[in-house]
Amino acid sequence: MIPDEYLQTFVVECRELLEQMEEALLIVEQAAEDPEIINAIFRAAYTIKGSAGMFGIDHIVVFTHAAESVLDKVRSGDIAMSSVLAALFIEAHDHLSVLVEHVAEGSQAPEETDSHGKSLIEQLEACLGETATAQPDNSPPIVHQPKLEREQSEAVGTDLWHISLRFGPEVFRIGMDPFSFVRCLSSLGSIVELVTIIDAIPAAEEMDPETCYLGFEISFSSEADKLAINNIFNFVRSDCLIRILPPHSKASEYQRLIQELPEQEMRLGEILVKCGTLTPEELDNILRIQSARGDDPQRPIGEVLVEQQMVSPPVVEAALAKQQQVKDNKKSEANLIRVDAEKLDELINLVGELIIAGAGTNMIARRAGMADLMESTATLSRLVEEVRDSALALRMVQIGATFNRFQRVVRDVSKELGKDVDLVISGAETELDKTVVEKIGDPLTHLVRNSMDHGIEPAELRIARGKPAKGTLKLNAYHDAGSIVIEVSDDGGGLNKEKILAKAIERGLVSEGANLTDKEIYNLIFEAGFSTADAVSNLSGRGVGMDVVKRNIQALRGTVDLDSVEGQGSTIRIRLPLTLAIIDGFMVGVGNAAYVIPLDMVVECIELRAWASDEGDGQYLNLRGEVLPYRRLRDHFDKEGDLVQRENVVVVRYGEHKAGLVVDKLLGEFQTVIKPLGKLFKGEKSLGGFTILGNGEVALIVDVPGLMGQIEREKNIKMPAVAR
Amino acid sequence: MTDVNNKNQPSGRIVIEDELTIYTALELKEKLLTGLSTTEELELDLSRIGEIDAAGLQLLIMIKQQAAVLGKVLRFTGHSPVVLDILDLSGLAGFFGDPLLIVCKPT
């Protein structure tokens, strides 16, 4: 019965809340009690329970209720927050995540999940002690310290909430049932009296059975705060009239309520009396104020209150300040909009097309040689570039959220390994493309685990080496020349060069006596099937992993390398492009075809004949004393076409490697929108995609790392004969 | 969904089947009004209602009020558990004024 889009909202909201909850829990587990943070956890649990209740997802309600009851006690100071309790809550949080995921998939939780949930509930209830387990709903009321002074004489005597609801006509059509809110309210407390307002139902002929005419007046006993009660109505807030009056509200509040509701004063008054909210005397009093003030409805209520000496001016000021604060909060919330990622992709796609079209116009303008037109296209392309940048910026998200997830990973892994490790995060506000963020999570997890498992030594060894017993793991991110760099560093033992080298020789990855730089040796650990761990642990050391990490990162057009100082720790540096959609390219011509080489990989362009002294070999040239392997793109892509007089070499660099690509023509810089190649080309490693040129022709984008890899492999196939 | 018997008789009976919700409200409104206009005394059998929501409740209120306007007798009988539940929740049992069985709800 729940419309999908609401369920979707529910799941998204729950996930966010769970994330907040986890963050808060991890802080609580580490540090002393901070009432703010415990409140945050409580609120998260509370909201989840509330919205789950609205959807009638009972098992989540039941489970969250157990957690919430304990949290409530913690909040009121009856139970002290300990790391044991925090750990229990983290488990509860995990269980809740599982439940929410089941809801998202529309699947039933398996039995073991259920029983796990039950055992958690039992553990939670054990914390509550005996009194509360018997009747969790009626647990002793939290003592709210009233911040504002209250003049009891003017307040209404009841200790019940009063809630007035008038549902909008569209409520049924958007798939809501007013009674579901009532049921949901019951989860927060007990409904003392409910009067259904049917006055708005028109006569039979005019009545539209699909329009909602109902309203409720509810007097309600609950220990919940106003926000929680208010939250229940989040889904219908926009089209309904909702008034919630806390217990002991001012008589004038009721007066205002009566004023605002559509029914007649007398009738409403009777309802309020019937609900038990007001006594008949109180009602009389209110109606008297009402008629006396009837001639002057524009006056601010605060002023009226002060004049009647119902409240003192400071109280009003405090209340106003509070209101302003709430309003400000609302405002900053409203500054964010959730947008479907697909819509953004579409926008980026369109901007891509715009760039292509702009390039086309530019080309025509240049060919026509019209100065005016060229000038206006120049302006146009500047604007288009700005549009491109801001469109891409829309997709940018801060890496902080991803980093924060590792608090949990580090906590769990340190428990598992029995090592005490601190996670230090910096550069959390560094932004990068959303797709990159999504894909970087797994490789990062691997690196973090790896660092903790192999990098950071056990405490005894650390002390013996004169380091603090507590290990430190750092996650850092920063922007660097059009790419983002993510660093994972530890203050552990670092890499053992000899061990790596010995292993590499044993595995046949390097030949004996090969002269490798430190960096080359370190980077050997990214080779497939390489592991130096003496013992294979649960976490890593099986030799799968680092090569997978490298491959994942390369798939994002990124690179990874490693620095290490033996005995002091190591740093793994991941370098990623800021975006996957648009690059600056360098266009070259081979035969009749155009190719695009990513500009940031191009080092320089030279003329082939000037440098290649020995043309017979056709494999290497001597570039200022450096051996540079080169390859003719014409040969590589089997291009036909007339040979040109002057061939050029584009020197490209990827990581530590350099290579030359021999092309016929250099066509210059070109902003390139990367379009993916179809499945047919999946096997072709040396092509990274294609793009459409301004004149409508297609240019292929050279995947430099892929091409280099391919050359390397071909070389290896040919080489062994020479080597042996 | 409904079953109108004994048309144009002094007394009639309509059985509402399965659902009395927003999904069936439009259709049922017509049936109920027709049913009411063709008889002097109408009995609505609610025993077979398996699902009822606020829209359904609203419809019952409407027909009850309409019966009062026309000066006809309208009785609801055999309230099914879900109907009792919603009457209990809405506090409208008194408004309808039909004899009800008080059920003991398992808590």
Side-chain angles (χ1 to χ4, degrees), chain A residues 206-256:
Chain A
E206 287 116 56
M207 184 231 181
D208 174 4
E210 291 180 350
T211 299
C212 183
Y213 303 102
L214 296 178
F216 295 129
E217 293 291 327
I218 303 165
S219 69
F220 181 57
S221 145
S222 169
E223 293 146 18
D225 55 18
K226 186 160 180 175
L227 184 71
I229 297 179
N230 214 11
N231 275 346
I232 290 184
F233 304 105
N234 274 345
F235 285 88
V236 286
R237 180 164 322 285
S238 54
D239 19 66
C240 297
L241 177 69
I242 300 159
R243 292 288 171 273
I244 301 169
L245 293 184
H248 307 291
S249 285
K250 291 268 164 299
S252 54
E253 293 282 336
Y254 289 96
Q255 169 204 341
R256 194 149 56 124

Side-chain angles (χ1 to χ4, degrees), chain A residues 90 92 140 182 221 251 277 279-280 307 440 443 446 452 487 524 531 543 571 592 642 656 686 691 693:
Chain A
I90 288 176
V182 176
S221 145
T277 305
T279 62
E307 195 178 285
I440 200 68
H446 203 94
M452 291 180 67
E487 285 179 346
L524 280 172
S531 172
T571 300
N592 318 321
D642 300 330
E656 302 296 304
S686 51
T691 188
L693 303 179

Side-chain angles (χ1 to χ4, degrees), chain A residues 544-706:
Chain A
V544 287
M546 290 307 246
D547 60 317
V548 177
V549 168
K550 188 173 184 181
R551 224 173 322 130
N552 283 344
I553 290 168
Q554 280 176 349
L556 295 170
R557 301 209 323 269
T559 57
V560 54
D561 69 325
L562 192 145
D563 263 341
S564 176
V565 179
E566 206 170 339
Q568 289 179 25
S570 40
T571 300
I572 297 167
R573 212 166 278 121
I574 301 172
R575 187 176 279 271
L576 289 168
L578 278 180
T579 172
L580 300 177
I582 298 176
I583 56 164
D584 284 324
F586 186 74
M587 194 153 66
V588 296
V590 179
N592 318 321
Y595 291 90
V596 175
I597 300 167
L599 188 64
D600 50 2
M601 294 184 181
V602 175
V603 183
E604 61 180 328
C605 298
I606 53 173
E607 199 190 327
L608 179 64
R609 200 175 294 163
W611 292 92
S613 48
D614 177 15
E615 278 186 78
D617 185 347
Q619 294 240 3
Y620 297 96
L621 55 82
N622 180 347
L623 180 67
R624 292 181 283 269
E626 202 181 321
V627 180
L628 185 78
Y630 71 90
R631 148 106 13 156
R632 283 191 162 80
L633 281 188
R634 177 186 292 273
D635 297 343
H636 187 82
F637 292 116
D638 274 338
K639 281 310 278 190
E640 306 280 307
D642 300 330
L643 290 168
V644 288
Q645 282 287 311
R646 282 166 44 150
E647 285 176 304
N648 285 295
V649 182
V650 179
V651 180
V652 292
R653 187 174 66 105
Y654 180 69
E656 302 296 304
H657 302 282
K658 269 188 186 176
L661 302 175
V662 181
V663 300
D664 294 350
K665 268 177 290 183
L666 303 173
L667 299 171
E669 283 181 37
F670 178 72
Q671 210 178 58
T672 310
V673 180
I674 302 178
K675 305 238 170 213
L677 288 171
K679 278 191 189 134
L680 265 178
F681 296 95
K682 225 175 175 179
E684 182 53 61
K685 293 278 183 275
S686 51
L687 290 178
F690 75 100
T691 188
I692 301 168
L693 303 179
N695 55 11
E697 276 175 31
V698 166
L700 294 166
I701 298 168
V702 178
D703 181 354
V704 173

